[in-house]
Amino acid sequence: MSGKPRLVYINGRGRMEPIRWLLAAAGVEFEEKFVETKEQLEKLVKDGDLLFHQLPMVEIDGMKMVQTRAILSYIAGKYNLYGKDLKERALIDMYVEGITDLMQMVMMLPFSPAEAKAKNLASIEEKATKRYFPVFEKVLKQHGQDFLVGNRFSWADVQLLEVILAVEEKIPAVLSGFPQLQAFKTKMSNVPTIKKFLQPGSARKPPPDDNYVATVMSIFNLN
């Protein structure tokens, strides 16, 4: 086995996508193993690879890590994307938790019943523009820096860019009232490691389609 982190998940975004983003932002190459059937998932459980019988799982530094938040915080700490002190880490944690709340809504949208999709999309737009994006617009404006914490990009910045782009896929004009976030998006998208991840052919996954939804439902027995 190479020294690269090995990511085990379905071939799609889901809960692994922020992990891909953070590794890519840190400039870390990784390998992926895709789970394609319920039987493959059951074998991982039987072999003791999944501590809580859940994906995603990341093999890194001799560990088989599960739980998305634990994986992300380890990567952020390992690659110096977690602030310079305890106070900065607390701010990053707060921002990430808020971003995750919004991303959860985006992530679940493709799994909504057809009759609920429009309502759920409207809820995402309302929460993004009234609750979450105003927070980050204010933070950037008040401290006058390019990034959310201190003046270097952190885990929080990476996750914020990810959710901005994910929401824009559904609501293209969502940043129209947020000039600070527009500038932030441009700045972050041009960080060399992130710019590379945003290019075609990278490990970044496309928006979930009906085939992805069906695969997830089958593997996790959600039908």
Side-chain angles (χ1 to χ4, degrees):
M1 179 180 169
S2 74
K4 297 177 183 178
R6 183 169 179 255
L7 282 52
V8 180
Y9 197 66
I10 297 145
N11 187 9
R13 288 186 181 176
R15 298 186 187 280
M16 186 64 89
E17 193 69 356
I19 297 168
R20 298 184 186 105
W21 266 88
L22 197 57
L23 286 168
V28 179
E29 294 184 358
F30 54 85
E31 300 173 346
E32 297 200 67
K33 176 184 177 182
F34 298 123
V35 175
E36 299 174 333
T37 66
K38 184 168 66 172
E39 289 72 27
Q40 289 175 338
L41 176 62
E42 289 170 349
K43 185 177 188 306
L44 287 168
V45 172
K46 184 179 179 181
D47 291 346
D49 290 336
L50 305 180
L51 190 63
F52 300 110
H53 301 182
Q54 295 171 313
L55 294 174
M57 188 266 280
V58 174
E59 296 183 46
I60 185 170
D61 295 341
M63 299 182 290
K64 292 183 177 180
M65 293 195 70
V66 296
Q67 297 292 354
T68 308
R69 172 67 196 235
I71 296 166
L72 286 165
S73 62
Y74 181 80
I75 292 167
K78 179 178 174 69
Y79 295 106
N80 200 24
L81 297 172
Y82 213 166
K84 71 179 187 302
D85 56 30
L86 197 57
K87 184 176 180 180
E88 287 195 354
R89 181 170 175 167
L91 289 171
I92 290 167
D93 283 341
M94 283 198 304
Y95 297 154
V96 165
E97 290 289 345
I99 294 163
T100 302
D101 288 345
L102 178 58
M103 182 59 85
Q104 177 74 8
M105 297 175 65
V106 177
M107 189 173 67
M108 294 309 297
L109 183 65
F111 297 90
S112 302
E115 63 273 14
K117 273 193 167 63
K119 179 182 177 182
N120 291 346
L121 183 59
S123 180
I124 289 170
E125 182 172 14
E126 181 184 7
K127 293 286 174 55
T129 58
K130 304 297 184 186
R131 180 182 297 184
Y132 296 105
F133 287 172
V135 169
F136 301 114
E137 181 79 4
K138 183 178 180 180
V139 168
L140 291 167
K141 186 174 183 179
Q142 281 187 339
H143 80 154
Q145 305 287 0
D146 294 326
F147 306 110
L148 291 172
V149 179
N151 196 29
R152 55 161 297 172
F153 86 84
S154 71
W155 173 17
D157 298 298
V158 178
Q159 303 297 117
L160 180 56
L161 179 61
E162 181 193 1
V163 81
I164 285 172
L165 297 180
V167 174
E168 281 188 329
E169 287 172 349
K170 306 295 183 186
I171 310 160
V174 73
L175 287 189
S176 59
F178 301 99
Q180 299 289 335
L181 287 180
Q182 292 175 33
F184 169 86
K185 172 189 162 186
T186 299
K187 179 82 174 179
M188 283 295 293
S189 296
N190 283 289
V191 171
T193 53
I194 294 174
K195 187 174 183 179
K196 181 180 178 182
F197 187 63
L198 293 174
Q199 299 304 307
S202 79
R204 186 184 180 208
K205 304 306 177 194
D209 56 15
D210 290 344
N211 183 61
Y212 171 77
V213 171
T215 300
V216 170
M217 299 286 280
S218 173
I219 291 173
F220 294 105
N221 203 26
L222 301 175
N223 293 308

